[in-house]
Amino acid sequence: MARKLIIAGNWKMNHGAGKTREIVCGLRAELADVMAVDIVVCPPFTSLAAAVEAAAGSNIVVAAQNLHWAENGAFTGEISAAMLTELPVTYVIIGHSERRHYFGETDETVNQRLRAALDAGLIPIVCVGETQHEREAGETEAVVGRQLDGGLAGLNTAEVTGTVIAYEPVWAIGTGLTATPDQAQAVHAFIRNRIRAAHGADAADQVRIQYGGSVKVDNAAELMSQADIDGALVGGASLKVDDFAALVRNAAAG
Ligand code: PGA
């Protein structure tokens, strides 16, 4: 079945509010006619309001890069789902490998954040992926399967269907090493089959699975042409208007 592509630019800890406004305005101008792709930008928390304002009325929507699972309370430095929906942002990234590796994120905390996001009406983008060591040890499917089972635990079929999964092999993030289209497709098919086994054919057919890890202008179209790749989560190549706009166009053409 035809799933609409979703290309999200994960800016990580880059671009304050001023630069965010400039980039979103640039993207709106460049991409106004692209209707075949859901276009998402994911700025840092302090730039979200500027992004939402600059994207208003356009085909670009905004995602946060994380959220906390509690409604409110004594959690210094954290941001709740309600704070995000008030802006409003549409999507939220959960369990990015940088959160897992630098900030102690686990499948359990991914699951708690996912629950909070879904309860608030945010669309989660949940990241999974193996390290180089795990791939070399032949553990890719075991690792990704465990991250999926733990991360998505307790979600009903409608919730799983509406969640975006991002397969991001850790060894490909920010390294310039992209998974080959075949390597990516194999893991995407594994993920879709896992969802089919747990939630049935309709959920598996509808759930969108992005690839992430050194997606660039030049490789986007080939990756997107794979049967089970429904979009991209893009880091470095999403930081400039020209790069990201060209990447979105290439992906749409792929
Ligand atoms: P990259 O980052 O495109 O710079 O490899 C991808 C990501 O971390 O989502």
Side-chain angles (χ1 to χ4, degrees), residues 152-243:
L152 306 185
L155 269 60
N156 66 36
T157 295
E159 289 170 338
V160 169
T161 307
T163 293
V164 177
I165 315 270
Y167 168 57
E168 298 205 301
V170 178
W171 48 271
I173 296 177
T175 58
L177 287 175
T178 317
T180 65
D182 286 351
Q183 281 175 324
Q185 166 58 26
V187 181
H188 281 236
F190 167 78
I191 292 170
R192 203 175 296 288
N193 284 334
R194 192 95 170 182
I195 288 172
R196 183 173 293 111
H199 293 282
D202 287 352
D205 285 347
Q206 287 170 47
V207 71
R208 293 191 292 180
I209 309 174
Q210 295 176 308
Y211 169 78
S214 300
V215 179
K216 307 284 180 213
V217 178
D218 297 342
N219 60 23
E222 201 187 356
L223 285 160
M224 296 310 111
S225 68
Q226 301 300 307
D228 290 298
I229 301 185
D230 309 313
L233 185 55
V234 184
S238 71
L239 293 174
K240 293 186 188 149
V241 173
D242 290 356
D243 289 349

Side-chain angles (χ1 to χ4, degrees), residues 28-160:
R28 305 184 53 137
E30 291 285 329
L31 296 172
D33 61 321
V34 177
M35 293 303 157
V37 179
D38 285 336
I39 307 165
V40 185
V41 292
C42 321
F45 285 129
T46 55
S47 300
L48 287 174
V52 168
E53 204 181 292
S58 77
N59 55 342
I60 296 167
V61 296
V62 179
Q65 297 175 16
N66 190 19
L67 84 170
H68 192 268
W69 53 85
E71 276 177 35
N72 51 51
F75 299 101
T76 301
E78 296 296 321
I79 300 288
S80 73
M83 292 169 190
L84 298 178
T85 53
E86 188 179 332
L87 284 168
V89 308
T90 310
Y91 293 87
V92 59
I93 299 173
I94 296 175
H96 189 277
S97 76
E98 286 149 18
R99 302 283 336 156
R100 292 177 189 261
H101 292 106
Y102 301 138
F103 302 102
E105 191 84 59
T106 63
D107 294 334
E108 193 181 6
T109 56
V110 166
N111 185 245
Q112 287 176 280
R113 292 181 212 277
L114 195 46
R115 184 73 268 150
L118 288 165
D119 287 348
L122 291 161
I123 304 174
I125 299 175
V126 179
C127 305
V128 296
E130 81 288 359
T131 63
Q132 172 105 49
H133 177 77
E134 289 162 342
R135 174 163 283 264
E136 283 165 4
E139 293 169 356
T140 299
E141 293 191 353
V143 169
V144 171
R146 191 173 65 229
Q147 290 171 336
L148 281 177
D149 294 352
L152 306 185
L155 269 60
N156 66 36
T157 295
E159 289 170 338
V160 169

